[in-house]
Amino acid sequence: MPTRQEQKEQRRQEIMYAALDLFVKRGYAATKIADIAKAASMSVGLLFHYFESKEKLYEELVKMGLQGTAYPGAQKCEHAIDFFVQFAEQLFTYMRQQPYVAKMFVLMADAQRSEGTPEHIREIAMQVNTIEQFVPIVEWGQKEGSIKQGDALALSSAFWCSIQGIAEQYAAHPDMGLPDAQWIVDIVRAK
Amino acid sequence: MPTRQEQKEQRRQEIMYAALDLFVKRGYAATKIADIAKAASMSVGLLFHYFESKEKLYEELVKMGLQGTAYPGAQKCEHAIDFFVQFAEQLFTYMRQQPYVAKMFVLMADAQRSEGTPEHIREIAMQVNTIEQFVPIVEWGQKEGSIKQGDALALSSAFWCSIQGIAEQYAAHPDMGLPDAQWIVDIVRAK
DNA sequence: AAAAATATTGAATATAAATTCAATGAACAA
DNA sequence: TTGTTCATTGAATTTATATTCAATATTTTT
C-alpha cells in the first residue's frame, strides 16, 4: 500500500503522461483539459487539484523534458563520425524502449519552435542545447576526414532536423518503426 | 483597375496567405481568427465575409496545397538515385523561391498527422501521396545498385521524414537557409 | 444622379473550453 | 469510534474566441 505522497506523485505522473501524449498528437492548443482528464481516467476537477492550470501542466512537462534530455557526451570516440553513430543509435534505442522519449522529443521541439508557446515556457525549452552542440564535433570530423565538407552549422542542422522529422513520424505512428540510425548518420558522413 | 471579381479573389488570397503563415507558426487551433484578420489588415467581420468559418478556411488551404503539390515525376533518370537528387533539389529550389511552398509543405503534413484535424479535411490532405510513391523507385535503385539496401518502405520513410523535418525548420526560420540537397539524398544513396 | 449591389466595420451574441466550487466519499490520526 | 484531512466528482461560473449582424461606406448599374 503506497503512502499518500506516493499516490499523489503517481497521479501527477498519470496526468503528465496523458497530457504528453495528447499534446504531441494534437498540439497544446487543440488539447482540451477534459480530454486529458478522460485519458487519465479522472474528473476535470481532480486534474485541477493536481495542476493549477493547463499552462502550468505544460510547463511541468517541458521542465521534465529538460531533465530527461541529458544527451550522451562525445565520450571516447576515435572518429567524429562515431559520435554521430553512437548518438543516433542511442537515441533511437531509447525511443524504441520508452515511448515517452520520442514524445518528449517532439514536445520540446514544438515548445521551442511554436509562436503559440507562452514565453516563459519557451525559455525553459530553449535551454536544451541542440544543433549548436554538434558544430564543434562536425568541425573536428571535417579536419579529420570522417565528416563531409561544408558549412558546419548547416550540416549539424540538417542532421538534427532529420532526426526531428523522424521522431515526429515515430511519435505519431510508432507502429511504423524507426529507420536504421546509420542511414541518418550518412547525412554527415564523408563519402 | 481590377474588376470586383479580381478584388475578391485578391482578398481571399491575402487571407489565405496570412492564415497559412499563422497556422504553420502556431498551429491551427492556436491561431485566432482575430490574429488572421489583423495579419491580413482587415476586420474580423470582413474575413467572415470571405470565408464562412475558420474550418472552411483551413479546408481551402489544404485544397490549395493539394493542387500546388504536383511533384515532379521520375522523368528521364538514368539511375534511381538521380530521381532523388532531382526531387530534393527541385523541392528545395521551390522552397527558397517561394516561401509559401515550405509553409504549405508543413501545413499539409500537419493536416495529415494531427489528430486535431477535422476528419474531412484530413481526408483531403491524405490524397497527396508521399512516402509510398518512393517505394518502387527505391526498389528499382536497389536492384540497380544506386540505392542502399534495406527495407524499401523504411528507407523511403527516412528520406521523406528528413525532408519534412528540414521543411519545418525552414518554415519557422527561413533565415537559417536550407541544406545542400545532396546531403539528404545521402540517406538513400548506396555507399 | 439614383438605385442596387457589394465591401467593410466593430460591437453584440453564441459557443466552447478553462477554471472554480460546494458537496461527498475514503483514508488517517486521535 | 470519531473527528480531521485529503481525494474526488460534476455541475456552475468565467473567460476566451468564433460567429453574426445591423449600420455605413463604396462601388457598380441603370
Side-chain angles (χ1 to χ4, degrees):
Chain A
M1 61 242 77
T3 153
R4 248 179 178 174
Q5 258 310 299
E6 290 168 339
Q7 268 301 321
K8 186 163 181 171
E9 197 42 47
Q10 175 62 30
R11 277 304 207 190
R12 284 177 63 87
Q13 290 288 316
E14 287 167 7
I15 295 168
M16 288 177 82
Y17 284 121
L20 174 59
D21 183 63
L22 291 172
F23 286 169
V24 169
K25 283 195 197 144
R26 311 183 184 175
Y28 171 69
T31 302
K32 300 188 269 269
I33 287 284
D35 295 335
I36 303 174
K38 183 181 288 185
S41 315
M42 69 181 61
S43 68
V44 168
L46 188 55
L47 193 152
F48 276 97
H49 180 64
Y50 288 103
F51 293 91
E52 60 180 287
S53 70
K54 184 181 171 186
E55 189 172 309
K56 201 72 174 198
L57 170 52
Y58 191 26
E59 185 180 326
E60 298 279 320
L61 270 175
V62 170
K63 279 182 183 162
M64 174 191 269
L66 196 56
Q67 302 277 293
T69 321
Y71 295 130
Q75 342 119 35
K76 56 208 169 239
C77 291
E78 190 172 348
H79 300 291
I81 193 68
D82 298 332
F83 167 81
F84 287 96
V85 172
Q86 267 189 29
F87 180 91
E89 281 182 345
Q90 206 162 123
L91 185 59
F92 284 7
T93 299
Y94 286 151
M95 285 186 180
R96 274 187 269 255
Q97 286 170 349
Q98 306 182 333
Y100 102 95
V101 173
K103 288 175 190 168
M104 190 51 91
F105 202 77
V106 174
L107 184 88
M108 295 300 281
D110 258 26
Q112 288 189 189
R113 198 153 39 201
S114 174
E115 278 192 8
T117 310
E119 204 44 51
H120 70 282
I121 295 183
R122 173 132 53 146
E123 271 164 30
I124 299 170
M126 285 299 187
Q127 290 175 35
V128 266
N129 43 338
T130 50
I131 301 181
E132 292 75 14
Q133 73 186 127
F134 296 121
V135 175
I137 303 170
V138 165
E139 284 166 346
W140 160 38
Q142 288 177 327
K143 276 191 202 117
E144 196 204 37
S146 67
I147 303 276
K148 69 175 61 146
Q149 296 303 311
D151 181 84
L153 180 57
L155 249 180
S156 302
S157 178
F159 175 74
W160 186 250
C161 292
S162 296
I163 288 192
Q164 199 61 57
I166 286 160
E168 272 167 38
Q169 163 74 24
Y170 185 67
H173 304 290
D175 46 299
M176 296 253 314
L178 282 168
D180 186 333
Q182 295 278 353
W183 296 348
I184 307 309
V185 175
D186 281 347
I187 291 173
V188 299
R189 175 177 275 124
K191 320 263 182 75
Chain B
M1 61 242 77
T3 153
R4 244 177 180 177
Q5 257 311 298
E6 290 166 340
Q7 268 301 321
K8 186 163 181 172
E9 197 41 48
Q10 175 62 30
R11 277 304 208 189
R12 284 177 64 87
Q13 291 287 316
E14 286 167 8
I15 296 168
M16 288 178 81
Y17 284 120
L20 174 59
D21 183 64
L22 291 172
F23 287 169
V24 168
K25 283 194 198 146
R26 312 184 182 174
Y28 171 69
T31 302
K32 299 188 269 268
I33 287 284
D35 294 335
I36 303 173
K38 183 182 288 183
S41 317
M42 69 181 64
S43 68
V44 168
L46 188 56
L47 192 153
F48 276 97
H49 179 66
Y50 288 103
F51 293 91
E52 60 180 287
S53 69
K54 184 180 171 186
E55 188 171 310
K56 202 71 177 198
L57 170 51
Y58 191 26
E59 184 179 325
E60 297 278 321
L61 270 175
V62 170
K63 279 182 183 163
M64 175 192 269
L66 196 56
Q67 302 278 293
T69 322
Y71 295 129
Q75 342 119 34
K76 56 211 168 227
C77 291
E78 191 172 346
H79 300 291
I81 193 68
D82 298 332
F83 167 81
F84 287 95
V85 172
Q86 267 189 29
F87 180 91
E89 283 184 343
Q90 206 162 125
L91 185 58
F92 284 6
T93 300
Y94 286 151
M95 284 186 181
R96 274 188 269 256
Q97 286 171 348
Q98 306 182 334
Y100 103 95
V101 172
K103 289 174 188 168
M104 190 51 93
F105 202 77
V106 174
L107 184 89
M108 295 302 280
D110 259 26
Q112 288 189 186
R113 197 151 42 200
S114 173
E115 278 192 6
T117 310
E119 204 45 51
H120 70 281
I121 295 183
R122 174 132 52 147
E123 271 163 31
I124 299 170
M126 285 298 187
Q127 291 175 37
V128 267
N129 42 337
T130 50
I131 301 182
E132 292 75 14
Q133 74 186 126
F134 296 121
V135 175
I137 304 171
V138 165
E139 285 166 344
W140 160 38
Q142 287 177 327
K143 277 192 202 116
E144 198 204 35
S146 65
I147 303 275
K148 69 175 60 148
Q149 294 305 310
D151 181 84
L153 181 57
L155 250 180
S156 301
S157 179
F159 174 74
W160 186 251
C161 291
S162 296
I163 288 192
Q164 200 60 58
I166 284 160
E168 272 168 37
Q169 164 74 25
Y170 185 67
H173 304 290
D175 47 298
M176 295 253 313
L178 282 168
D180 186 333
Q182 295 277 355
W183 296 348
I184 307 308
V185 176
D186 282 347
I187 291 173
V188 300
R189 176 177 273 125
K191 319 264 182 75

